[in-house]
Amino acid sequence: MLRVTGATTLLVDESTEIEGGEVLVDRGVVVGITVVGEANPHSGAVQLLDATDAIVTPGLVNAHHHLLQSAFRTLPGTRGVPMSVWLPAMASSYAAAGIDASLLEASAAVGVAEGLLNGVTTVADHHLNWPAETPVADRTAIARATADAAARLGGRLVFVRGSARDAPEDAAESAEAIVQALVPGAIGGVRADGLLQVAVGPAGVHSDSRETFELLGEVAARHGLRRRTQANEQVDTAIALERYGRRPLDLLEEWGWLADDVTIAHLCDVTPAEIARLAAAGVTATHAPGCDLPMGWGISPVHALREAGVTVGLGTSGGGSNDAGHLLADARLAMQVAPLVGPALSARTVLGMAMAGGAAGLGRPELGHLRPGAAADLCVWDVSGVADAGIADPVAGLLWASPGRRPRHVVVGGRVVVRDYELVEADERELVAAVRERVGR
């Protein structure tokens, strides 16, 4: 049993705080919450995790990432350029390195480690880039390497078998093989221990055909998988209008991809009528301002989406556009830019997006909060330093103060994976060296 003790504040969820709250964890789940001085109602040996002068929050859920890109950041020709220039620059670097299991083993390990060190306990990896004309076994090996990297470090992974101009039949065949290899017989594509999940997701109507959406949707229906895609960035809208004479959400609805098992990332260019359609269909959304702003795609109207009833999570997107996997920093950015497209968002609202909001889009109600019965994923954030001096509201200060804030400790499924700001299961320097060796930089 683990007891997280000494915290000044326990943030149970975005609307519930307990001063002096302590968390009791057993067999990977939260079994109780007490306050300082209360007796432990549970028997057995107790391991203590010090949260003195700190705020304890649920683990963060990065609902949209591209882990491959963790090995391809700030590349020449990828900054301040349109998507039509960015894509070939990234593709050229991928081709030079050669996309295979060894590349994903290195890049995913760095991406998951970066997330854990910044409080991300669950990451959804929308993997879009696959080697051409290779056996299904080689593509399955890429998924397995990504899953193994996350398991080695102790993070939760949602592997999204994505597609970007793949042949529809190949994408579906590969998705089926990945399900059978990673989560055979799992309910909803989630392994019994909850540490690994499989989903499917074409990149968007700008790159994938109706047939790809339909065939991947059939795989999802067979196995109860979540479906994820990207839509209504400016470039997505422009291509859809040019190619089909329709807006992206019109196509997604026609192709059967506006439904309550679908999460859509970006959604920068949406009309009030489209927002109402998303809400009526039960679609969830992922806000990714750390990608959308530098790529010039605009700002998703998060307040309007939430007001309409759309659940919104938060994601960093990949290193090729964001260059960082620091979800709390992107939560701060989301809060800062919200007034440019609507009413301001409070720190607690955005923290909720980074926790339960993202978990909802994954169909994972046990994540993103610390109520009894929840998965024991949590972060301990020190608030005793100069960055928090003068802060009247320490919970709001988690975002407003210290843009580079990192957690002191991180727990995933009751297992301490970051202790005193360092990875427990890996050496950062070795992870960095592996990427340098693999990509030749």
Side-chain angles (χ1 to χ4, degrees):
M1 179 176 294
L2 178 69
R3 183 168 188 162
V4 185
T5 182
T8 58
T9 303
L10 170 63
L11 188 67
V12 177
D13 53 40
E14 81 173 74
S15 60
T16 308
E17 300 164 29
I18 300 175
E19 300 303 313
E22 300 185 341
V23 184
L24 299 173
V25 173
D26 192 23
R27 295 182 176 86
V29 300
V30 176
V31 295
I33 295 172
T34 64
V35 295
V36 175
E38 283 186 355
N40 178 6
H42 300 271
S43 59
V46 177
Q47 173 192 359
L48 298 180
L49 187 66
D50 180 30
T52 303
D53 297 326
I55 293 175
V56 176
T57 72
L60 306 181
V61 178
N62 188 340
H64 186 65
H65 203 335
H66 305 289
L67 289 175
L68 170 64
Q69 295 178 14
S70 298
F72 300 91
R73 309 192 228 199
T74 66
L75 294 176
T78 64
R79 289 293 158 276
V81 299
M83 190 76 163
S84 59
V85 175
W86 183 88
L87 278 172
M90 296 297 294
S92 176
S93 294
Y94 297 154
I99 297 175
D100 62 11
S102 68
L103 178 60
L104 267 298
E105 181 180 3
S107 61
V110 165
V112 171
E114 181 186 19
L116 289 172
L117 288 165
N118 290 298
V120 172
T121 53
T122 300
V123 59
D125 174 31
H126 197 171
H127 186 81
L128 298 172
N129 302 95
W130 303 87
E133 299 179 356
T134 55
V136 170
D138 289 352
R139 302 184 185 205
T140 303
I142 286 173
R144 190 183 296 280
T146 306
D148 289 347
R152 177 160 56 94
L153 291 157
R156 293 186 194 273
L157 174 74
V158 182
F159 186 83
V160 185
R161 199 303 177 189
S163 168
R165 302 179 180 86
D166 292 15
E169 298 83 358
D170 290 349
E173 182 184 15
S174 171
E176 184 70 38
I178 287 168
V179 171
Q180 298 300 339
L182 267 57
V183 289
I187 298 173
V190 183
R191 201 170 64 191
D193 63 5
L195 294 173
L196 179 62
Q197 179 178 355
V198 173
V200 296
V205 302
H206 59 275
S207 68
D208 292 291
S209 67
R210 176 173 188 153
E211 187 178 6
T212 299
F213 276 87
E214 290 178 344
L215 291 179
L216 285 178
E218 290 174 9
V219 176
R222 274 196 299 276
H223 300 285
L225 309 181
R226 303 292 295 188
R227 295 183 289 165
R228 307 176 71 79
T229 191
Q230 305 169 123
N232 289 63
E233 315 100 317
Q234 290 177 347
V235 64
D236 184 59
T237 303
I239 291 174
L241 287 170
E242 179 182 356
R243 186 174 298 164
Y244 300 100
R246 312 273 296 284
R247 287 176 62 82
L249 294 185
D250 296 330
L251 296 168
L252 290 178
E253 185 170 38
E254 183 178 300
W255 298 352
W257 274 66
L258 288 193
D260 60 7
D261 64 329
V262 173
T263 299
I264 301 177
H266 303 299
L267 292 174
C268 301
D269 174 31
V270 285
T271 67
E274 288 175 331
I275 291 173
R277 286 164 64 193
L278 292 168
V283 171
T284 52
T286 305
H287 185 32
C291 163
D292 296 337
L293 270 71
M295 294 298 289
W297 291 340
I299 304 169
S300 179
V302 172
H303 182 273
L305 287 163
R306 287 171 52 90
E307 281 291 294
V310 178
T311 298
V312 183
L314 193 69
T316 61
S317 199
S321 58
N322 189 331
D323 298 316
H326 193 330
L327 192 68
L328 202 68
D330 281 11
R332 186 178 191 268
L333 177 62
M335 184 176 62
Q336 291 176 307
V337 302
L340 298 177
V341 293
L345 300 172
S346 73
R348 285 167 176 79
T349 292
V350 179
L351 283 169
M353 290 164 51
M355 301 183 306
L362 299 171
R364 302 293 296 277
E366 77 279 16
L367 303 178
H369 61 92
L370 292 176
R371 295 185 293 273
D377 296 0
L378 58 87
C379 301
V380 177
W381 307 90
D382 191 292
V383 292
S384 65
V386 292
D388 292 288
I391 292 291
D393 181 348
V395 172
L398 287 176
L399 295 191
W400 283 116
S402 187
R405 186 187 302 276
R406 289 171 58 164
R408 182 194 303 167
H409 311 305
V410 178
V411 176
V412 180
R415 173 188 175 191
V416 180
V417 296
V418 172
R419 188 186 296 273
D420 295 323
Y421 304 99
E422 294 189 357
L423 297 167
V424 172
E425 301 296 339
D427 184 315
E428 282 189 67
R429 292 165 297 185
E430 293 178 359
L431 299 179
V432 173
V435 168
R436 286 177 175 165
E437 180 179 0
R438 180 59 184 77
V439 299
R441 282 184 278 104

